Amino acid sequence: MTRDNRTNSKSHIPKGSFLFEKVVPVALAVMGIVMLGLILFAAGVLLGIVKF
Amino acid sequence: MSVNHILPFVSTIIMLFFTVSVLQRFFVRRQPHFLFWGIGLAMFGAGSFAEAYLALAWNKWVFFAWYLFGAALNAAWLGHGTLYLLVRKKWVHAVTAILVLGSLFAGNLMLQAIPKLDEAVFTTDKIISEQYGTKALEAGEPVPAGAQTITTTYRGEEVTAVRGILPLGAPVRLTTPFFNIYGLLTLVGGAIYSAYLFWRKRVMPNRVIGNVLIAAGALLIGFASTLTRLGYGEYLYLGELFSAILMFAGFRFAARPQPDEVMQSAPAAAD
């Protein structure tokens, strides 16, 4: 029983965790924005807007 | 020899371990996403090794490998592995065919560029990412310090260009944005999407963190490549090294064994 409880707590996101409540969502949002920026840059290269 | 000459060696060793680790999983589980990840990582490693080699000496076939595998193809193949993991539909096989044909096409364009390479401009004093491309100068644009220039005809106009190894307007260079856009969208987008799904379901924190690390690593190399395009190639190898470390750590994190109960819910979260 003790073992099961420990296992389940490891496979669920802990409640009240600063990492999972704050850092992860912000990181995901920022990375999504940066990804879009890089895709736009690459598209700019393709369209000849960005010289290389 | 500068730090930038040593970094690719370190990246190569990390990518070798990473590639072997992923391909071992493919041979055990026979799941296609491991195969595409393995191929993409092998390409990444080949690119890193080529950088390390080109820091010491010139070889046109090593340059071929550096550009084709390191600059053009690896992100797309890695990302395609993520597409196979997330989307279990028949149309993914059609995308596979397009990726394979596109890669062969890019390889053919690179082969055509080989006889036209300006080998005389190569130097071991500069890293390869700072000397591979020939860049036409705009009217009035100053010549960068120490750069060799050439006057040539490009698109019907006489232009002055900073000499690089690949000729001005080499068609193979036009293929790289296609592969890299696809790679960014699938590899980074796929990792962000996976992390978000697990995070929303409040399960498997290791996969949330693992996917965040993979996305960060892939973005880092994309960002470093973009800086190279803008003329700041000195950050590329550091970016590659951190990218290799972050993605390997992310893969190890995400691949940690999970309790059976939660593993059963994982496919639903990943689909």
Side-chain angles (χ1 to χ4, degrees):
Chain A
M1 186 69 178
T2 309
R3 188 172 173 273
D4 285 347
N5 286 341
R6 187 170 61 242
T7 307
N8 285 340
S9 71
K10 279 186 181 175
S11 59
H12 285 85
I13 290 175
K15 286 177 183 170
S17 159
F18 179 77
L19 177 66
F20 287 101
E21 298 300 331
K22 304 288 181 193
V23 178
V24 166
V26 170
L28 291 177
V30 169
M31 288 194 296
I33 291 166
V34 173
M35 180 188 76
L36 289 176
L38 288 174
I39 288 172
L40 286 175
F41 177 82
V45 171
L46 265 181
L47 297 172
I49 299 165
V50 179
K51 301 286 180 192
F52 65 96
Chain B
M1 183 176 276
S2 71
V3 173
N4 257 335
H5 286 106
I6 296 165
L7 293 178
F9 284 102
V10 184
S11 300
T12 303
I13 292 166
I14 294 170
M15 293 315 292
L16 185 64
F17 280 106
F18 196 177
T19 304
V20 169
S21 174
V22 169
L23 286 178
Q24 274 178 338
R25 283 175 187 269
F26 168 70
F27 287 118
V28 171
R29 299 187 187 183
R30 301 282 172 183
Q31 290 168 315
H33 61 273
F34 285 120
L35 177 63
F36 283 94
W37 281 342
I39 293 171
L41 291 168
M43 287 179 174
F44 193 134
S48 295
F49 176 76
E51 282 162 3
Y53 184 96
L54 291 167
L56 304 172
W58 169 254
N59 181 297
K60 63 184 177 185
W61 296 112
V62 175
F63 180 78
F64 174 94
W66 175 75
Y67 192 81
L68 186 65
F69 301 133
L73 298 182
N74 76 77
W77 282 73
L78 280 167
H80 194 63
T82 302
L83 190 73
Y84 256 113
L85 176 68
L86 295 176
V87 184
R88 289 162 196 173
K89 306 278 186 190
K90 285 185 178 174
W91 59 261
V92 177
H93 300 309
V95 182
T96 304
I98 294 169
L99 177 66
V100 171
L101 290 174
S103 301
L104 290 172
F105 178 66
N108 184 45
L109 290 178
M110 193 62 204
L111 277 175
Q112 289 173 22
I114 285 282
K116 300 171 193 164
L117 298 180
D118 189 355
E119 299 179 6
V121 82
F122 175 79
T123 172
T124 53
D125 293 337
K126 285 201 285 188
I127 57 179
I128 194 67
S129 61
E130 288 183 325
Q131 53 179 318
Y132 76 97
T134 301
K135 182 180 181 293
L137 294 171
E138 299 286 334
E141 187 180 348
V143 178
Q148 300 176 50
T149 58
I150 187 173
T151 303
T152 185
T153 304
Y154 180 57
R155 292 177 180 169
E157 288 181 22
E158 193 169 90
V159 295
T160 301
V162 174
R163 282 174 68 184
I165 297 167
L166 274 171
L168 190 61
V172 69
R173 293 199 69 188
L174 287 174
T175 67
T176 55
F178 286 104
F179 290 112
N180 288 331
I181 287 172
Y182 177 68
L184 260 177
L185 202 58
T186 48
L187 180 60
V188 180
I192 290 173
Y193 178 67
S194 297
Y196 172 72
L197 286 181
F198 288 119
W199 177 79
R200 195 183 61 179
K201 286 176 177 275
R202 316 293 298 169
V203 296
M204 304 180 92
N206 63 318
R207 293 207 175 177
V208 175
I209 297 299
N211 278 298
V212 166
L213 292 174
I214 290 169
L219 266 184
L220 193 60
I221 188 62
F223 196 66
S225 301
T226 304
L227 285 177
T228 301
R229 285 266 188 196
L230 295 172
Y232 301 98
E234 66 268 30
Y235 301 110
L236 180 63
Y237 300 160
L238 191 63
E240 275 179 4
L241 177 60
F242 280 112
S243 173
I245 292 169
L246 283 172
M247 287 200 293
F248 195 17
F251 176 75
R252 302 287 298 185
F253 230 93
R256 274 186 186 174
Q258 289 296 294
D260 290 344
E261 177 193 305
V262 180
M263 280 301 284
Q264 286 166 5
S265 69
D271 282 344

